[in-house]
Amino acid sequence: MIYEGKDFSADVQESAEVVVIGSGAGGPVVAKELAEQGHSVVMLEEGPKVETKDFTPDPFRAFRRFYRDGGTTMALGRPAVPFPLGRCLGGTTTVNSGTCFRTPDKILRKWRREFGLEGIEPEKMRPYFERVEKIIDANPVTPEIMGRNGEIVLRGAKQLGYSSGPLTRNMRGCRGCGVCTLGCPSGGKRATFLNYIPRASHFGAKVYCDLRVSKLLVKNGAAVGVEGAILDRDSGKPRLKFSVSAKLVVLAAGAIYSPLLLLKNKLANGSGQVGRNLRLHPGIRVCALMDEVVDGWRGVPQAVFVDEFADEGVMLEGVFVGPVLTGPVLPYFGEKNKELMFKYKNLAAHGAMIFDETRGRVRLGLRGRPLITYQMIPEDVKKGVKAIAYTAEIFFAAGAKKVYPTVSWMPEMTSPRQVRELLSGRVKGADLEFMAFHPMGTCRMGTDRRDSVVDPYGESWEIKNLFVCDASIFPSCLGVNPMESIMAFANRSADYMQEMKLKG
Amino acid sequence: MPAGNGGLSPRLRKVLEDMAERIIPSGGPDYPGARDVHLADQVIEMIQSFPGAMRGFRAALMLWELSPLFLSFQFRTFSRLSPEGQNHYLESWEKSRFFFRRAALTGLKGLFMVRFYGDARVHEKIGYREGCLQPLEQVVPPWSPEEEGR
């Protein structure tokens, strides 16, 4: 059963074996797995309930309704890095590009080697990935829905002999509508509100929307429930109170709001690591003017990858977005910008993310809001420059007339020679425009309670029965989109909860 | 679609209209610009949809109006600059060595473009048509228990 804030006219008190905070990639997996085992589960979501019919192609309305703070979340630094976060049923899975990758074996081995994490070897994680992929319908992008933007990137990569291919996505019956980040209008992108949440609900989990948790209740060193407010949908202001008492509390509010809740409650931070080690996978975006008609908005916006440069810490994955979001990131203003936008049908766009070593931080800011800082280190800036250069090179190989690299002193490139100039030039972080979509690492797992927040199963070292099941727990960046990794690790944590905490 | 002035004085209204016109200039029937789609009204309407935001918006406009006095030493406020002068002033933001000035200009572009490029009349001119690559015959429903047997 899914309840909304408007369903209530009096304070709510609930009790369950498990309360899950957040309905993005991690929370619904725990809710479904434990509800299926017969446990009583309550899942809480701060944002509104959504259904496929609610989605609108108008970015302004979509960002306002389905994103936190209208999509304006930002990490402060030079450069500042905006990273929009979903805030609705299904969390960011409702508004992401739907790209699925297993955690690379290399990363799992690194975590074993550098952080001593056992039981996460590739062969041990494989069943979790397989289970998740079945439930979310992980399938590769097919030529029918790829669209010309993806075809152009693959053509350029092939011309240069770079390793590349179509991405795997959580999708079934995708029609290539091009608006994944505004909410899928076909139901083809299988966000958690279309798979895990209905399953959890079927097995008896209660799902509440429009509820903001403010307090984690702890008794004798163990989590025993949560308290918070039922929000007025329009104003966002607290309207009524609610509380849930539970044996297990699962924090799955994402890598910004999970640590924030711990910081607000002054909990689980004996290591001093809560909110630290923030990684973002900062991404760049490059546009290109082609002779051919691209109609880039038709087809899967993030359809292909180029992983040729993964060893250099660069993964090329692009998103083509609608005109509202394209205009501001193209160079110039006035006539020159308008002229470019009136060639929108001939524009292609692709991007790349870097495997960041920078460590940002989430702090408790004014009025309980997060203060996020991320000062990019020079090594990561260099990766950003490479990411731009490789993407530009691919576009030129595919026949681009001009390339727009989002470098402040090089608004456009007219020949591949400028790619080399860029690579050999002195570029500062503040010369580039980054965006990010994958915050992680702020409640990292580890084997030593002195330098990690949770143990290898996501349980707090300090507060018994308090689990973190989202991207916060990853001890380094993944180098790939994190959704499937979050789900697989959440599934693993749910199995642990079932075996060690709830059985019998 | 006049939305009223949202409490903007005629002077601030002119600042907003001038900014819109510099960022997306009007020109010719095939290339609509800010004036052709009443962009200033659309922006006011958008800001008004955020409760309490109009006050901060008025303050920001006033700050912008006064900013040439202390950022470019032109001894004229923004609305009193000629169109060329306004363009030069915006250019100084675009080419600034300070990241935050360049980022602010990107934000300004976003403020106006979110309405301009969201306008159906502009979509028609740039050839953008919402729609899917494959026909959207029916929506794929959420999981249901019956699905397990498929």
Side-chain angles (χ1 to χ4, degrees):
Chain A
M1 187 71 185
I2 300 176
Y3 301 96
E4 297 178 78
K6 67 178 183 193
D7 296 334
F8 302 100
S9 54
D11 293 349
V12 173
Q13 288 181 321
E14 269 284 2
S15 79
E17 287 175 279
V18 185
V19 60
V20 179
I21 305 164
S23 72
V29 176
V30 176
K32 178 257 173 191
E33 294 298 337
L34 295 180
E36 192 172 8
Q37 297 286 335
H39 302 293
S40 59
V41 177
V42 167
M43 184 160 66
L44 309 172
E45 167 56 48
E46 185 181 346
K49 180 184 173 187
V50 293
E51 294 176 67
T52 298
K53 65 178 171 52
D54 298 332
F55 297 129
T56 161
D58 177 351
F60 174 63
R61 286 180 211 285
F63 270 73
R64 223 181 135 186
R65 178 143 188 226
F66 308 128
Y67 281 79
R68 188 172 286 283
D69 300 320
T72 58
T73 309
M74 187 168 297
L76 301 177
R78 268 166 40 101
V81 183
F83 59 102
L85 302 171
R87 181 182 163 273
C88 58
L89 190 65
T92 301
T93 71
T94 302
V95 288
N96 69 3
S97 296
T99 296
C100 299
F101 276 103
R102 296 183 180 190
T103 317
D105 290 357
K106 202 166 81 174
I107 294 292
L108 293 173
R109 291 196 191 98
K110 173 181 165 162
W111 290 352
R112 170 84 173 82
R113 197 174 58 244
E114 292 180 16
F115 300 95
L117 294 168
E118 291 181 8
I120 59 159
E121 295 77 7
E123 58 280 9
K124 291 199 172 142
M125 288 304 295
R126 190 172 304 122
Y128 291 114
F129 290 122
E130 285 169 356
R131 184 170 172 80
V132 165
E133 284 163 0
K134 191 170 174 224
I135 291 172
I136 64 173
D137 291 286
N139 289 299
V141 173
T142 56
E144 296 76 41
I145 54 169
M146 179 178 287
R148 285 194 206 119
N149 190 61
E151 288 168 9
I152 285 168
V153 174
L154 285 186
R155 189 173 77 209
K158 199 174 168 195
Q159 183 85 14
L160 296 165
Y162 292 160
S163 166
S164 59
L167 285 162
T168 293
R169 309 174 73 237
N170 49 323
M171 61 176 188
R172 172 159 41 102
C174 168
R175 314 308 294 161
C177 303
V179 287
C180 306
T181 55
L182 308 179
C184 176
S186 73
K189 187 187 77 178
R190 307 304 283 172
T192 52
F193 80 91
L194 294 172
N195 42 47
Y196 272 103
I197 293 173
R199 281 173 166 91
S201 190
H202 171 72
F203 293 118
K206 289 181 179 175
V207 182
Y208 290 84
C209 296
D210 308 307
L211 263 68
R212 181 187 295 150
V213 175
S214 56
K215 200 165 179 184
L216 301 172
L217 303 175
V218 174
K219 200 172 172 185
N220 300 327
V224 293
V226 301
E227 279 179 5
I230 299 172
L231 305 176
D232 176 71
R233 172 84 53 89
D234 296 325
S235 69
K237 290 186 176 155
R239 199 167 60 81
L240 297 163
K241 291 178 184 169
F242 81 88
S243 62
V244 185
S245 58
K247 279 187 197 169
L248 301 181
V249 174
V250 179
L251 251 181
I256 304 302
Y257 283 82
S258 284
L260 191 73
L261 203 48
L262 293 176
L263 292 169
K264 272 183 187 171
N265 285 271
K266 297 185 171 62
L267 288 176
N269 197 18
S271 64
Q273 296 298 318
V274 172
R276 290 182 187 266
N277 310 304
L278 173 68
R279 311 296 174 97
L280 291 173
H281 280 164
I284 55 85
R285 185 153 176 270
V286 174
C287 294
L289 184 62
M290 310 297 294
D291 271 328
E292 65 202 277
V293 169
V294 182
D295 286 347
W297 66 90
R298 288 164 60 82
V300 174
Q302 189 170 55
V304 303
F305 69 90
V306 179
D307 62 356
E308 178 76 18
F309 311 102
D311 289 342
E312 297 175 50
V314 175
M315 176 75 151
L316 274 59
E317 283 177 9
V319 177
F320 192 98
V321 289
V324 160
L325 301 173
T326 300
V329 298
L330 284 173
Y332 315 121
F333 65 92
E335 282 295 350
K336 280 170 94 175
N337 179 281
K338 198 172 107 175
E339 206 176 292
L340 259 178
M341 278 304 288
F342 277 76
K343 291 173 184 154
Y344 185 62
K345 284 172 76 68
N346 294 69
L347 288 179
H350 204 67
M353 63 183 182
I354 62 165
F355 308 175
D356 50 338
E357 296 296 326
T358 300
R359 294 171 186 220
R361 189 168 175 189
V362 180
R363 293 178 176 88
L364 187 57
L366 290 173
R367 295 195 291 181
R369 296 176 66 82
L371 173 64
I372 307 157
T373 50
Y374 186 89
Q375 188 56 51
M376 199 176 282
I377 60 174
E379 289 77 5
D380 284 346
V381 174
K382 276 182 201 152
K383 289 178 201 165
V385 174
K386 283 183 181 179
I388 292 170
Y390 298 147
T391 311
E393 192 185 23
I394 286 170
F395 274 133
F396 278 122
K401 279 162 64 182
K402 285 185 181 176
V403 170
Y404 304 95
T406 59
V407 178
S408 66
W409 47 266
M410 192 184 269
E412 61 181 49
M413 294 172 162
T414 49
S415 82
R417 182 179 49 81
Q418 287 172 288
V419 174
R420 291 187 290 278
E421 270 175 36
L422 178 65
L423 279 170
S424 59
R426 278 189 60 190
V427 186
K428 300 192 296 287
D431 294 336
L432 307 178
E433 286 177 23
F434 285 99
M435 267 196 104
F437 305 93
H438 306 152
M440 58 196 136
T442 47
C443 297
R444 70 180 180 192
M445 61 179 161
T447 51
D448 185 343
R449 57 189 302 151
R450 288 169 303 180
D451 68 3
S452 57
V453 179
V454 295
D455 72 11
Y457 290 96
E459 186 174 11
S460 161
W461 286 112
E462 292 167 47
I463 310 294
K464 253 176 69 178
N465 302 337
L466 174 65
F467 285 80
V468 182
C469 291
D470 57 34
S472 311
I473 65 168
F474 299 145
S476 76
C477 82
L478 300 173
V480 293
N481 307 52
M483 177 176 67
E484 191 178 334
S485 298
I486 297 168
M487 291 172 158
F489 275 88
N491 198 153
R492 180 171 173 271
S493 293
D495 281 2
Y496 175 82
M497 292 177 216
Q498 159 67 12
E499 282 301 312
M500 307 302 289
K501 302 282 183 179
L502 297 168
K503 210 172 179 180
Chain B
M1 56 166 76
N5 270 352
L8 291 187
S9 64
R11 181 182 178 185
L12 289 187
R13 167 91 195 182
K14 181 171 184 317
V15 174
L16 183 65
E17 282 178 352
D18 286 358
M19 286 165 80
E21 192 57 28
R22 297 290 83 74
I23 287 173
I24 309 164
S26 304
D30 287 338
Y31 293 91
R35 206 180 307 127
D36 305 310
V37 299
H38 306 288
L39 191 56
D41 287 324
Q42 292 201 44
V43 169
I44 290 172
E45 190 191 15
M46 179 175 76
I47 303 290
Q48 282 178 324
S49 73
F50 293 92
M54 210 54 210
R55 199 171 153 186
F57 185 62
R58 281 195 297 269
L61 279 179
M62 181 51 86
L63 201 62
W64 180 264
E65 164 73 336
L66 300 176
S67 61
L69 296 174
F70 45 88
L71 286 180
S72 68
F73 306 105
Q74 304 216 34
F75 307 111
R76 283 187 183 193
T77 58
F78 182 76
S79 65
R80 286 178 186 274
L81 291 171
S82 64
E84 294 74 34
Q86 291 177 341
N87 272 333
H88 285 311
Y89 184 60
L90 280 166
E91 240 175 63
S92 74
W93 283 69
E94 186 189 32
K95 294 181 177 163
S96 171
R97 63 195 179 94
F98 296 111
F99 168 77
F100 287 103
R101 277 185 79 179
R102 296 197 310 271
L105 183 69
T106 305
L108 265 183
K109 282 162 66 180
L111 176 73
F112 291 104
M113 289 179 182
V114 72
R115 296 323 288 167
F116 184 78
Y117 289 114
D119 192 301
R121 289 166 289 184
V122 177
H123 287 176
E124 200 186 316
K125 295 292 182 190
I126 63 175
Y128 171 71
R129 276 193 301 275
E130 288 158 4
C132 308
L133 196 53
Q134 299 295 322
L136 179 53
E137 279 144 8
Q138 65 181 54
V139 162
V140 187
W143 176 88
S144 67
E146 296 76 49
E147 200 182 286
E148 292 297 89
R150 79 188 154 93

